Amino acid sequence: MPLIPSESLPYFEKMIYLPMVLTILERDRESVEKGSFKLKKPYVAMIDHAVKVAQRDVKDTKLYLRQHNMKVIRGKRDDTFTEYVFYHSGYEEHRRYLNVRLRNRVEELLGVYLSIAKQVN
Protein backbone atom coordinates (compact mmCIF):
# COMPACT_ATOMS: atom_id res chain seq x y z
CA MET A 1 0.00 0.00 0.00
CA PRO A 2 1.48 3.36 -0.99
CA LEU A 3 2.04 5.74 1.88
CA ILE A 4 1.44 8.81 -0.25
CA PRO A 5 -2.19 9.39 -1.27
CA SER A 6 -2.91 9.13 -4.99
CA GLU A 7 -4.54 12.59 -5.03
CA SER A 8 -1.18 14.11 -4.00
CA LEU A 9 0.82 12.52 -6.82
CA PRO A 10 -0.17 15.07 -9.53
CA TYR A 11 1.14 17.89 -7.34
CA PHE A 12 4.44 16.13 -6.81
CA GLU A 13 4.77 15.57 -10.54
CA LYS A 14 3.93 19.19 -11.31
CA MET A 15 6.91 20.17 -9.17
CA ILE A 16 9.05 17.90 -11.31
CA TYR A 17 7.81 19.00 -14.72
CA LEU A 18 6.93 22.69 -14.40
CA PRO A 19 10.43 23.93 -13.48
CA MET A 20 11.72 22.06 -16.54
CA VAL A 21 9.05 23.70 -18.71
CA LEU A 22 10.06 27.13 -17.40
CA THR A 23 13.73 26.47 -18.09
CA ILE A 24 13.02 25.43 -21.66
CA LEU A 25 10.71 28.40 -22.30
CA GLU A 26 13.36 30.81 -21.01
CA ARG A 27 16.03 29.23 -23.22
CA ASP A 28 13.69 29.32 -26.21
CA ARG A 29 12.99 33.00 -25.58
CA GLU A 30 16.71 33.74 -25.65
CA SER A 31 17.08 31.75 -28.87
CA VAL A 32 14.26 33.69 -30.52
CA GLU A 33 15.72 37.02 -29.42
CA LYS A 34 19.18 36.09 -30.70
CA GLY A 35 17.87 34.33 -33.79
CA SER A 36 17.47 35.68 -37.29
CA PHE A 37 13.70 36.07 -37.15
CA LYS A 38 12.33 39.02 -39.07
CA LEU A 39 9.45 39.59 -36.66
CA LYS A 40 10.42 38.41 -33.19
CA LYS A 41 7.75 40.19 -31.19
CA PRO A 42 4.87 37.69 -31.69
CA TYR A 43 7.08 34.74 -30.74
CA VAL A 44 8.49 36.48 -27.69
CA ALA A 45 4.99 37.55 -26.59
CA MET A 46 3.67 34.00 -26.92
CA ILE A 47 6.59 32.57 -24.93
CA ASP A 48 6.25 35.30 -22.29
CA HIS A 49 2.57 34.51 -21.81
CA ALA A 50 3.32 30.79 -21.54
CA VAL A 51 5.97 31.59 -18.91
CA LYS A 52 3.49 33.66 -16.89
CA VAL A 53 0.90 30.87 -16.91
CA ALA A 54 3.51 28.25 -15.97
CA GLN A 55 4.88 30.48 -13.18
CA ARG A 56 1.38 30.89 -11.79
CA ASP A 57 0.92 27.11 -11.81
CA VAL A 58 4.26 26.64 -10.03
CA LYS A 59 3.23 29.18 -7.40
CA ASP A 60 -0.13 27.46 -6.85
CA THR A 61 1.55 24.06 -6.64
CA LYS A 62 4.17 25.26 -4.14
CA LEU A 63 1.39 26.71 -2.00
CA TYR A 64 -0.50 23.41 -2.08
CA LEU A 65 2.64 21.48 -1.15
CA ARG A 66 3.39 23.82 1.74
CA GLN A 67 -0.17 23.61 3.07
CA HIS A 68 -0.11 19.80 3.00
CA ASN A 69 3.42 19.26 4.39
CA MET A 70 4.69 17.91 1.09
CA LYS A 71 8.11 18.20 -0.48
CA VAL A 72 9.87 16.82 -3.55
CA ILE A 73 13.63 16.53 -3.95
CA ARG A 74 15.58 15.30 -6.94
CA GLY A 75 17.81 12.39 -6.04
CA LYS A 76 20.26 10.38 -8.09
CA ARG A 77 20.42 10.72 -11.84
CA ASP A 78 22.03 8.55 -14.48
CA ASP A 79 21.74 8.15 -18.25
CA THR A 80 18.44 6.29 -18.01
CA PHE A 81 16.63 7.27 -14.81
CA THR A 82 16.18 10.20 -12.46
CA GLU A 83 15.10 9.51 -8.91
CA TYR A 84 12.82 11.81 -6.94
CA VAL A 85 12.05 11.63 -3.24
CA PHE A 86 8.51 12.58 -2.22
CA TYR A 87 7.87 13.59 1.38
CA HIS A 88 4.30 13.70 2.66
CA SER A 89 3.27 14.03 6.32
CA GLY A 90 6.37 12.28 7.63
CA TYR A 91 6.42 9.57 4.96
CA GLU A 92 9.08 9.27 2.33
CA GLU A 93 8.72 7.59 -1.05
CA HIS A 94 11.42 7.15 -3.70
CA ARG A 95 10.31 7.06 -7.31
CA ARG A 96 12.39 6.61 -10.42
CA TYR A 97 11.37 8.26 -13.67
CA LEU A 98 12.68 7.27 -17.06
CA ASN A 99 14.49 10.28 -18.55
CA VAL A 100 12.72 9.73 -21.87
CA ARG A 101 9.38 9.87 -20.05
CA LEU A 102 10.39 13.12 -18.38
CA ARG A 103 11.39 14.63 -21.72
CA ASN A 104 8.18 13.51 -23.44
CA ARG A 105 5.95 14.82 -20.66
CA VAL A 106 7.75 18.19 -20.63
CA GLU A 107 7.30 18.35 -24.40
CA GLU A 108 3.55 17.72 -23.98
CA LEU A 109 3.31 20.44 -21.34
CA LEU A 110 5.19 22.88 -23.57
CA GLY A 111 2.56 22.28 -26.22
CA VAL A 112 -0.19 22.90 -23.66
CA TYR A 113 1.30 26.16 -22.38
CA LEU A 114 2.11 27.46 -25.86
CA SER A 115 -1.41 26.66 -27.07
CA ILE A 116 -2.84 28.57 -24.11
CA ALA A 117 -0.63 31.51 -25.05
CA LYS A 118 -1.66 31.19 -28.70
CA GLN A 119 -5.35 31.42 -27.80
CA VAL A 120 -4.79 34.63 -25.86
CA ASN A 121 -2.72 36.35 -28.55
Side-chain angles (χ1 to χ4, degrees), residues 45-50 53 112-121:
M46 189 165 75
I47 292 171
D48 285 345
H49 188 271
V53 174
V112 169
Y113 284 103
L114 289 172
S115 68
I116 290 170
K118 181 182 169 188
Q119 291 173 1
V120 172
N121 290 329

Side-chain angles (χ1 to χ4, degrees), residues 21-53:
V21 168
L22 285 171
T23 300
I24 291 170
L25 286 171
E26 290 165 4
R27 287 183 187 167
D28 289 351
R29 187 182 195 285
E30 288 177 20
S31 296
V32 168
E33 286 180 337
K34 292 177 183 176
S36 61
F37 291 87
K38 286 240 186 228
L39 302 170
K40 298 176 185 181
K41 200 172 185 179
Y43 299 106
V44 171
M46 189 165 75
I47 292 171
D48 285 345
H49 188 271
V51 166
K52 285 179 187 175
V53 174

